[in-house]
Amino acid sequence: QVQLVESGGGSVQAGGSLRLSCAASGYTYSSYAMGWFRQAPGKEREGVAAIDSDGTTTYAESVKGRFTISQDNAKNTLYLQMNSLKPEDTAMYYCAADHVPRWLLLHHTEYYYWGQGTQVTVSS
């Protein structure tokens, strides 16, 4: 069975950086689209960044230029490098995987497999 486990979250001051990791088992990243999503209390889950099976990436406008999604297929691990963090980036961050059309990569309802999340807190 497919399992996703996030790590790397924590507390950081505004302007700082964090690198999130998502270790996958039960499948290979080369056959699935992978995405990072976040959800703050009282808000809807939103797509942050995603990478298609062919390596194409897409980002939410709010993080473009600050976050970078990447993957290491040999290690079956997905990463999210987050730089220039802002307080509004504070949320629980989730890793997800599924076969997803390119135009829906940032739509959380398209993903079936999810990790348990890792908390990111950015203070001012």
Side-chain angles (χ1 to χ4, degrees):
Q1 46 222 44
V2 176
Q3 289 191 341
L4 303 173
V5 181
E6 302 96 335
S7 62
S11 297
V12 64
Q13 292 190 339
S17 299
L18 284 173
R19 189 191 192 197
L20 306 184
S21 298
C22 174
S25 62
Y27 74 105
T28 58
Y29 278 30
S30 62
S31 63
Y32 282 91
M34 300 286 295
W36 286 100
F37 299 80
R38 66 187 182 188
Q39 188 166 23
K43 293 187 176 181
E44 184 180 351
R45 186 168 299 189
E46 64 173 338
V48 175
I51 184 165
D52 204 356
S53 58
D54 66 355
T56 302
T57 59
T58 187
Y59 299 89
E61 285 296 322
S62 60
V63 307
K64 193 171 295 182
R66 299 188 297 122
F67 292 9
T68 302
I69 188 171
S70 62
Q71 63 186 35
D72 186 333
N73 288 336
K75 297 180 179 180
N76 234 18
T77 302
L78 182 75
Y79 302 98
L80 184 67
Q81 179 65 48
M82 306 185 294
N83 298 325
S84 302
L85 284 163
K86 305 175 181 179
E88 49 263 47
D89 294 318
T90 295
M92 184 72 75
Y93 282 71
Y94 299 90
C95 172
D98 207 345
H99 293 292
V100 179
R102 179 179 293 186
W103 60 94
L104 298 175
L105 285 172
L106 294 179
H107 293 242
H108 67 90
T109 54
E110 295 298 311
Y111 291 80
Y112 182 77
Y113 300 104
W114 292 85
Q116 293 300 304
T118 185
Q119 179 67 40
V120 171
T121 302
V122 184
S123 62
S124 60

